[in-house]
Amino acid sequence: TRSELRQWVKIRVKSLSPSTDVGALAKKVVEECKLIPPSRLPQVEQLLYYLQNRKSSPVEGKVEKKEKRTVKPRELTPFEGLELNEEASITRVDEYVELLYEGIPEKIRGSALILQLARNPDNLEELLHNEAALGALARVLREDWKQSVELATIIIYIFFCFSSFSQFHGVVSHYKIGALCMSVVEHELKRHDVWCEELRKKNKAYILLSNGSLRRDQEKALRKYQGLLAKQEQLLRVSLYLLLNLAEDTRTELKMRNKNIVGLLVKVLDRDDEELLVLVVSFLKKLSIFLENKNDMAEVDTVERLARLVPCDHEDLLNLTLRLLLNLSFDSGLRAKMVEVGLLPKLTDLLGDENNRQVAMRILYHISIDDRFKGMFVYTDCIPQLMQMLFECGEEEIEAELISICINLAANKRNAQLICEGNGLKMLMKRALKMKDCLLMKMIRNISQHDGPTKALFIDYVGDLAAEIRAEEEEEWVLECLGTLANLTIPDLDWELVLKEYNLVPYLKDRLKPGSAEDDLILEVVIMIGTVSMDDACAAMLAKSGIIPALIELLNAQQEDDEFVCQIVYVFYQMVFHQATRDVIIKDTQAPAYLIDLMHDKNAEIRKVCDNTLDIIAEYDEEWGGKIQSEKFRFHNNQWLEMVESRQADESETYLYDNDNDRTDLFYSADGITPADGSVSPDFFSDLQAQNGDSHHTG
């Protein structure tokens, strides 16, 4: 029965900890609480054991714990001016409903008393079954909301109490309160625009004339505006909170979107009431996970309005704003807007805030993805802070966000120089080699790609990197070390000594075999061979080891991959560049033939490297030079050459054709040769000399 259900009490167990003796505590609870019979001792002990384990369950790291906290708008409390001295009773609801049929003051009193009841969740079930009361409230709201802000606020608050529980959303929808709230919010925002315009006019008049009467008018108008604003923001807050609750249902949220909920919310972002802003930003954050809503936000300058809230003293508002910006930062256009409105230095400053560091870093990571913004980090304090965080990690695993943003920023030359300042590179290299940290080595690899002073700093670490390139190491780790070495195009570096000292030639040759490793690693091996081949002695050592046939075999296997082809051709270029290896590659391998085949590849970079390589070969070898020249001529003049050959078959006949070049389809067949059956009329031909430089003339 109902009376039996109320026979329970809460027992607060303050001394429960991981070290508590659960059995002894259970006995103490049973002894002190007369409502629990001794026969229930095993159940009490089991419950305490469950609570003990739940309470002591570890959460990994402080940051993760903070990351999981959810910030919600603060629960609504009775607004200023809505409190009543009398206490409402659930048995007198019908009396309060009668007041809703009187004037505005009585309606306010009646609805305020019903609100008192609705704020107690125990009364909602009973109010739900009182259709007369709910119907009267809905009718009054629909008819009188424009006449009294207080009345509208109270009645919407009553329905808000129902909206706080999902099972009561049906009754709120039944009376169409959501649609009415949308109308209320839209109307109030328009009223606010009118107030602001009137206030602006009074301020302007006072500034122009500066007399006492106008000053009094201006002060009076300001006080009136502030009073109206306070009441309006109460109404906006309760209306928007109700809509936020109803938006749990995505179908309802879609209806709101169709009525421009995003535009209305963004307009409210210009207000100063922090609790209202917390609510609005929460709502926008919920909406922002859908693409259509995000696009709507992009059209109404959301980022510009949010920028003023970063930073702010209200901790929850700041955290919610950052999370909304994080959702929006997945859009490249909105990332650009964030940089444009000056959020980059503001976000950088938040890296020192323990509560908001992780969210700020994620937004900065998204910004760092764009090459056009990487260089802007130089003008902030971001890189020194990131480096400090890296060094503070000690032997712990580096956070994914931290190392990810460092990898991105290291791809910019000026950022790389900042990272290497002082002992930056030394510290990074020391940690990476000690911990075998692939991501940190990826960051170092990005630094190594930049020409200039940073590249020379790597000379001290060539031996350390070369020592890591062994078959028994993890492939991903070797890939990053090899990639870093391959970037070190330093003239003073003795690559021959490095290859011999660490016996790298057999490793490089073995890894060239198709399928011997992942394609990424094989590609880095090819790039490494290209880098070391800049040295005469290294090129000769590699050529003698039989690497060129291995490269040709790899070229055959990877001929569809432009990056592989380009890098292999570059190795050939380096080989023919040196006198020591030129003869080997020209006379002992089929590399020139492959280069001729690739001469007209669709990839511009491949064509460029091929042309440069073939030019050197043609200069030093007459036989290949003739073949190369012939191939170039054949390709560029293929159709004309075939036409000339066809004509030379019958020298007794001379063809002329008109200068009707637009009708080439009439004298070219599908294969580019004039039909042998003479079906094309000679009238279409004219003197070939202008086209081919042919010395024959018409007889």
Side-chain angles (χ1 to χ4, degrees):
T1 65
R2 191 166 182 173
S3 60
E4 288 174 336
L5 289 172
R6 294 181 178 274
Q7 294 298 314
W8 58 271
V9 292
K10 285 184 181 177
I11 301 173
R12 298 190 183 278
V13 187
K14 295 181 180 178
S15 61
L16 187 63
S17 69
S19 58
T20 301
D21 183 343
V22 174
L25 182 60
K27 286 178 184 175
K28 186 178 179 183
V29 169
V30 171
E31 286 170 7
E32 293 187 4
C33 183
K34 304 303 179 186
L35 293 173
I36 304 175
S39 61
R40 294 282 185 179
L41 180 62
Q43 286 94 323
V44 173
E45 191 171 335
Q46 188 177 2
L47 279 171
L48 288 171
Y49 179 74
Y50 164 73
L51 289 170
Q52 182 187 46
N53 284 297
R54 188 183 66 172
K55 190 174 181 182
S56 63
S57 60
V59 180
E60 292 179 9
K62 281 185 182 177
V63 176
E64 188 173 328
K65 189 173 181 180
K66 284 182 179 172
E67 191 59 24
K68 285 185 177 179
R69 78 183 180 98
T70 55
V71 179
K72 287 186 174 181
R74 191 165 55 84
E75 282 301 317
L76 289 170
T77 53
F79 295 117
E80 186 181 347
L82 302 188
E83 301 92 344
L84 289 175
N85 293 327
E86 60 182 302
E87 188 173 341
S89 169
I90 193 71
T91 60
R92 300 176 61 193
V93 173
D94 292 341
E95 294 177 30
Y96 309 149
V97 173
E98 290 297 324
L99 293 171
L100 298 177
Y101 293 91
E102 305 295 332
I104 295 294
E106 289 78 13
K107 288 177 180 176
I108 291 175
R109 179 170 166 264
S111 56
L113 287 164
I114 295 173
L115 174 59
Q116 267 191 38
L117 298 172
R119 292 192 70 245
N120 181 352
D122 292 340
N123 295 326
L124 289 177
E125 194 80 46
E126 198 157 332
L127 287 172
L128 180 69
H129 297 302
N130 194 329
E131 292 184 12
L134 294 179
L137 287 166
R139 176 188 58 77
V140 171
L141 178 62
R142 197 160 38 250
E143 293 174 358
D144 297 332
W145 67 267
K146 288 184 181 178
Q147 295 181 41
S148 170
V149 172
E150 290 90 344
L151 181 61
T153 304
I154 293 168
I155 296 178
I156 292 173
Y157 200 152
I158 293 169
F159 284 103
F160 161 76
C161 293
F162 283 99
S163 75
S164 299
F165 300 92
S166 300
Q167 61 265 40
F168 296 139
H169 282 189
V171 71
V172 181
S173 301
H174 174 71
Y175 290 105
K176 296 184 169 51
I177 303 301
L180 205 49
C181 284
M182 290 287 293
S183 301
V184 169
V185 171
E186 189 173 2
H187 177 75
E188 291 301 324
L189 291 177
K190 287 177 181 175
R191 284 181 67 196
H192 181 260
D193 291 341
V194 173
W195 298 343
C196 289
E197 182 60 26
E198 288 176 358
L199 194 62
R200 190 187 64 79
K201 286 178 181 176
K202 284 193 165 38
N203 287 339
K204 188 177 179 182
Y206 169 67
I207 291 167
L208 290 173
L209 301 175
S210 297
N211 64 39
S213 173
L214 286 172
R215 178 178 176 79
R216 284 191 296 277
D217 281 353
Q218 187 251 352
E219 289 175 351
K220 183 180 176 183
L222 181 60
R223 284 195 299 274
K224 181 183 176 185
Y225 166 75
Q226 289 170 342
L228 290 170
L229 187 66
K231 289 182 178 180
Q232 188 189 68
E233 288 182 342
Q234 290 177 355
L235 177 56
L236 287 174
R237 189 169 161 225
V238 71
S239 301
L240 291 172
Y241 212 150
L242 183 144
L243 290 170
L244 176 58
N245 287 343
L246 294 182
E248 283 180 8
D249 184 343
T250 51
R251 291 169 298 179
T252 306
E253 186 180 304
L254 181 59
K255 290 178 184 176
M256 294 181 195
R257 190 247 168 185
N258 293 336
K259 292 190 175 184
N260 191 33
I261 185 67
V262 170
L264 298 176
L265 289 168
V266 171
K267 211 169 180 183
V268 182
L269 285 175
D270 294 329
R271 304 297 180 102
D272 295 319
D273 184 279
E274 289 179 332
E275 290 302 328
L276 178 60
L277 287 171
V278 166
L279 174 63
V280 170
V281 176
S282 297
F283 206 155
L284 285 169
K285 177 174 152 294
K286 181 184 184 307
L287 294 169
S288 66
I289 63 174
F290 291 101
L291 179 67
E292 296 82 2
N293 295 332
K294 183 267 298 177
N295 292 340
D296 289 347
M297 290 178 204
E299 292 174 7
V300 288
D301 300 332
T302 308
V303 171
E304 290 89 330
R305 287 177 161 95
L306 290 171
R308 76 180 184 92
L309 303 177
V310 181
C312 67
D313 295 330
H314 195 290
E315 186 64 31
D316 288 347
L317 178 56
L318 176 58
N319 190 269
L320 282 164
T321 303
L322 290 173
R323 288 172 183 276
L324 172 55
L325 287 169
L326 175 61
N327 286 358
L328 298 178
S329 69
F330 284 89
D331 182 282
S332 60
L334 290 173
R335 285 200 297 271
K337 188 64 71 177
M338 289 175 197
V339 175
E340 185 183 314
V341 299
L343 273 172
L344 191 56
K346 291 181 177 182
L347 292 166
T348 298
D349 291 341
L350 288 172
L351 291 177
D353 180 352
E354 190 68 33
N355 292 327
N356 298 300
R357 175 187 296 171
Q358 199 127 16
V359 190
M361 197 179 294
R362 286 173 180 175
I363 301 170
L364 288 170
Y365 166 71
H366 283 165
I367 294 172
S368 73
I369 291 170
D370 289 315
D371 288 338
R372 53 192 167 147
F373 304 135
K374 284 185 173 79
M376 295 185 182
F377 283 81
V378 173
Y379 306 106
T380 70
D381 193 37
C382 187
I383 290 173
Q385 287 194 66
L386 294 174
M387 292 298 288
Q388 183 66 30
M389 288 181 214
L390 279 178
F391 299 146
E392 286 174 357
C393 287
E395 296 191 2
E396 295 175 13
E397 187 177 350
I398 302 173
E399 291 175 29
E401 291 88 356
L402 174 57
I403 191 61
S404 299
I405 189 174
C406 288
I407 289 168
N408 285 348
L409 294 180
N412 175 272
K413 185 174 182 178
R414 185 71 189 96
N415 289 338
Q417 291 172 353
L418 275 178
I419 290 168
C420 293
E421 278 185 359
N423 290 323
L425 181 61
K426 181 180 179 182
M427 298 289 286
L428 291 174
M429 192 66 78
K430 183 179 177 182
R431 179 190 162 88
L433 291 169
K434 182 180 179 181
M435 307 296 294
K436 296 279 195 290
D437 190 328
C438 294
L439 290 176
L440 194 56
M441 188 55 76
K442 189 182 287 289
M443 175 187 174
I444 294 167
R445 178 180 169 186
N446 278 356
I447 296 170
S448 70
Q449 71 186 340
H450 304 294
D451 293 325
T454 52
K455 192 165 280 193
L457 297 174
F458 281 86
I459 289 181
D460 295 338
Y461 308 106
V462 170
D464 295 324
L465 291 167
E468 297 297 322
I469 301 171
R470 298 189 300 272
E472 59 269 20
E473 289 288 354
E474 284 287 332
E475 200 168 280
E476 188 181 355
W477 170 249
V478 173
L479 172 67
E480 300 304 336
C481 293
L482 193 60
T484 306
L485 273 180
N487 284 333
L488 303 184
T489 50
I490 305 170
D492 300 334
L493 190 53
D494 188 347
W495 279 113
E496 184 186 15
L497 182 63
V498 174
L499 293 181
K500 286 180 177 177
E501 181 77 19
Y502 297 96
N503 195 29
L504 290 180
V505 175
Y507 175 86
L508 296 175
K509 188 178 176 183
D510 287 344
R511 282 288 176 269
L512 284 179
K513 294 172 185 173
S516 63
E518 290 292 326
D519 282 355
D520 287 347
L521 181 58
I522 298 174
L523 179 61
E524 285 306 323
V525 168
V526 175
I527 296 171
M528 176 72 178
I529 292 169
T531 300
V532 301
S533 295
M534 295 170 67
D535 181 278
D536 279 8
C538 277
M541 188 193 307
L542 291 169
K544 288 175 185 174
S545 72
I547 261 180
I548 296 171
L551 285 169
I552 292 173
E553 184 185 349
L554 182 62
L555 183 62
N556 281 326
Q558 299 285 356
Q559 55 188 311
E560 298 300 321
D561 190 318
D562 284 357
E563 184 66 22
F564 263 104
V565 173
C566 193
Q567 295 297 343
I568 292 170
V569 171
Y570 178 72
V571 174
F572 292 160
Y573 170 76
Q574 291 292 355
M575 293 287 184
V576 299
F577 194 78
H578 304 299
Q579 179 66 46
T581 53
R582 192 178 299 133
D583 288 344
V584 176
I585 202 164
I586 292 174
K587 295 178 181 177
D588 298 346
T589 73
Q590 288 299 309
Y594 281 93
L595 291 169
I596 289 173
D597 286 343
L598 292 167
M599 193 192 307
H600 310 301
D601 192 90
K602 62 182 181 295
N603 186 295
E605 285 299 316
I606 293 174
R607 290 200 304 272
K608 182 180 175 183
V609 182
C610 261
D611 285 345
N612 292 339
T613 310
L614 289 170
D615 286 346
I616 297 173
I617 292 172
E619 186 178 344
Y620 287 95
D621 189 286
E622 288 185 9
E623 184 182 347
W624 277 114
K627 290 178 182 178
I628 293 164
Q629 188 176 10
S630 173
E631 173 58 26
K632 286 183 177 180
F633 184 74
R634 189 194 68 78
F635 178 79
H636 291 297
N637 300 279
N638 187 37
Q639 292 175 334
W640 298 113
L641 286 171
E642 289 177 346
M643 191 186 305
V644 169
E645 289 171 4
S646 174
R647 192 193 65 172
Q648 287 174 343
D650 187 4
E651 289 184 352
S652 62
E653 199 172 351
T654 304
Y655 293 101
L656 297 174
Y657 63 93
D658 295 331
N659 275 333
D660 194 356
N661 292 329
D662 294 331
R663 302 188 63 189
T664 54
D665 58 304
L666 294 173
F667 56 90
Y668 287 143
S669 66
D671 60 357
I673 302 175
T674 307
D677 60 1
S679 60
V680 177
S681 168
D683 294 335
F684 289 116
F685 294 87
S686 65
D687 190 357
L688 287 169
Q689 186 173 0
Q691 304 292 333
N692 291 320
D694 200 321
S695 59
H696 290 278
H697 294 279
T698 307

